Amino acid sequence: MSNSNFTRRGLIKTGAVAGAAGLSLPTYLRADGHSGFTNAPTGDTVTLGFNVPQSGPYADEGADELRAYELAVEHLNGGGDGGLMNTFSSKALQGNGILGKKVEYVTGDTQTKSDAARASARSMIEKDGAIMITGGSSSGVAVAVQALCQEAGVIFMAGLTHSNDTTGKDKKANGFRHFFNSYMSGAALAPILASNYGKDRKAYHLTADYNWGYTTEEAVRTSTEAMGWETVAAVKTPLTQTDFSSYIAPVLQSGADVLVLNHYGGNMVNSLTNAVQFGLRDKQVNGKNFEIVVPLYSRLMAKGAGANVKGIFGSTNWHWSLQDDGSKAFVKSFGTKYGFPPSQAAHTCYVQALLYADAVERAGSFNPCAVGEALKDFEFDGMGNGPTLYRGEDHQCFKDVLVVKGKENPTSEFDLLEIVEITPVSQVTYDAGIFGGELGVCNPGA
């Protein structure tokens, strides 16, 4: 796709930047690189594009993401109590929009389908003048939209995407991810599973048939097999599946004593419900109680699955019960506006919106390449996950990871998960080159 297909709104004028002989400057610092950039705002407003699943299996996540984005816009424009702007270690944001421009937004429905997500993102860029795209609750969507944003010359601030691929083999210079990934889940979960279930286990994996499912299965298999577990089967399931009975039945004949559900959102709710209906949690196999593991958890999933989640381990990016100042500030703001606590999807999307705005302020420019430079190797705190690094090599955030399990005695419909371990960032950090891929160079789109 040619960059010329994208609307150009205005030019940024700067003085020439002279380089010493033989010095190669980044394109956005060179005089010949300042002919403009995609959708450069010229008036007193700036438009952000919120691309979330408003239909499909991840629609609940998408609804909470939109709530969070709307709250972020309110705070950026000076409304409400300011939320995480009050606890954020960076103090660049003043509640007067972004670089003094009022923040406006448009929305799209990804439908949890890559083609639909690309089409809605393209429309927001070409027709609505969005200068940044953010959102999504599927790694397949994230990879597709990130590639589009790279081609279009806009920043992509990924929403809920957990596959290693997003900042691994499919990483892009214009893309950034705050959410953790499959590798981190496996590294955090394995010691907890070994401690609670032992090292002599036989695991059966049901895996969502797209790239998030693949990398999550791989991460959990690698980490559990390293501690002694045996994988007896790994079966792919369609993302559109709603009844998993036919997939659960073979588990009973497999000799497995652990079922790993590499499913998310409505898929996990349905597959876990079917597993419980088949009586798996009441069985003993190989002289052990049969167990179920959900590698990636969320409050919304726990609510959907109800009592079926009791005692089941998983990992999560953030949880509303955290007691740090940032988490408490976000829970208060979100709860005041909407009447219930936010999900991890809401949290990561709200944070991504603020991180983008803050990077623009610190860069003093909406030029995506200047924004990207401000985000690379940016260290921050006060956003609800403790000290965090946006690593420059792959644009992946590194922070502590939460291991949680379903509460045995919840006190409300929201109090369904308890934190059993805060895994330190050192335990989930990896070399940037292990997943392959090339970051490439920033594209300002002009």
Side-chain angles (χ1 to χ4, degrees), residues 1-14:
M1 177 181 56
S2 168
N3 288 331
S4 63
N5 290 337
F6 289 86
T7 304
R8 306 284 176 248
R9 295 200 175 187
L11 304 177
I12 180 170
K13 303 296 185 182
T14 69

Side-chain angles (χ1 to χ4, degrees), residues 88-91 355 358 362 373-383 386-392 397-398:
F88 189 14
S89 56
S90 174
K91 301 304 177 185
L355 287 173
D358 174 79
R362 290 186 292 109
E373 287 298 315
L375 284 169
K376 286 181 181 178
D377 292 317
F378 178 48
E379 297 181 66
F380 58 92
D381 202 349
M383 299 291 263
T388 303
L389 167 69
Y390 234 135
R391 187 163 68 177
C397 269
F398 285 86

Side-chain angles (χ1 to χ4, degrees), residues 167-409:
T167 47
K169 72 178 184 64
D170 295 308
K171 58 182 172 279
K172 301 294 182 186
N174 284 42
F176 293 83
R177 170 165 61 177
H178 169 262
F179 208 71
F180 71 146
N181 64 19
S182 301
Y183 175 96
M184 297 175 185
S185 286
L189 274 172
I192 303 300
L193 297 178
S195 175
N196 285 271
Y197 300 149
K199 297 182 179 180
D200 179 22
R201 283 283 186 167
K202 297 182 184 298
Y204 191 113
H205 288 254
L206 289 181
T207 299
D209 192 9
Y210 74 110
N211 64 350
W212 169 73
Y214 309 151
T215 67
T216 301
E217 177 194 306
E218 179 186 21
V220 176
R221 284 184 63 166
T222 300
S223 60
T224 54
E225 288 174 1
M227 69 185 188
W229 286 25
E230 176 188 349
T231 302
V232 299
V235 178
K236 305 295 188 291
T237 62
L239 187 59
T240 55
Q241 194 75 21
T242 56
D243 184 348
F244 290 86
S245 299
S246 62
Y247 292 96
I248 299 296
V251 178
L252 297 168
Q253 311 302 322
S254 69
D257 47 49
V258 177
L259 173 61
V260 182
L261 294 176
N262 301 302
H263 290 159
Y264 194 74
N267 287 161
M268 172 270 183
V269 171
N270 292 329
S271 61
L272 177 59
T273 299
N274 288 155
V276 172
Q277 289 171 342
F278 270 76
L280 287 186
R281 301 201 68 187
D282 300 322
K283 293 188 178 299
Q284 276 208 338
V285 179
N286 305 323
K288 306 176 182 70
N289 291 334
F290 195 97
E291 305 292 353
I292 300 175
V293 177
V294 176
L296 180 59
Y297 242 138
S298 80
R299 179 187 67 75
L300 296 174
M301 289 159 57
K303 181 179 179 182
N308 294 332
V309 303
K310 290 183 177 181
I312 291 181
F313 287 104
S315 66
T316 192
N317 190 68
W318 175 86
H319 192 257
W320 67 269
S321 66
L322 288 168
Q323 292 300 300
D324 60 279
D325 289 343
S327 293
K328 289 193 290 186
F330 183 56
V331 171
K332 179 183 177 184
S333 292
F334 192 97
T336 298
K337 187 174 181 68
Y338 299 113
F340 49 85
S343 64
Q344 65 172 353
H347 175 259
T348 202
C349 287
Y350 176 96
V351 169
Q352 284 284 70
L354 261 60
L355 287 173
Y356 170 78
D358 174 79
V360 173
E361 291 283 354
R362 290 186 292 109
S365 171
F366 286 101
N367 186 313
C369 300
V371 175
E373 287 298 315
L375 284 169
K376 286 181 181 178
D377 292 317
F378 178 48
E379 297 181 66
F380 58 92
D381 202 349
M383 299 291 263
N385 282 111
T388 303
L389 167 69
Y390 234 135
R391 187 163 68 177
E393 294 172 275
D394 52 5
H395 298 181
Q396 171 64 52
C397 269
F398 285 86
K399 53 195 183 295
D400 296 345
V401 171
L402 305 181
V403 177
V404 296
K405 73 173 180 177
K407 271 195 171 183
E408 295 288 353
N409 298 296

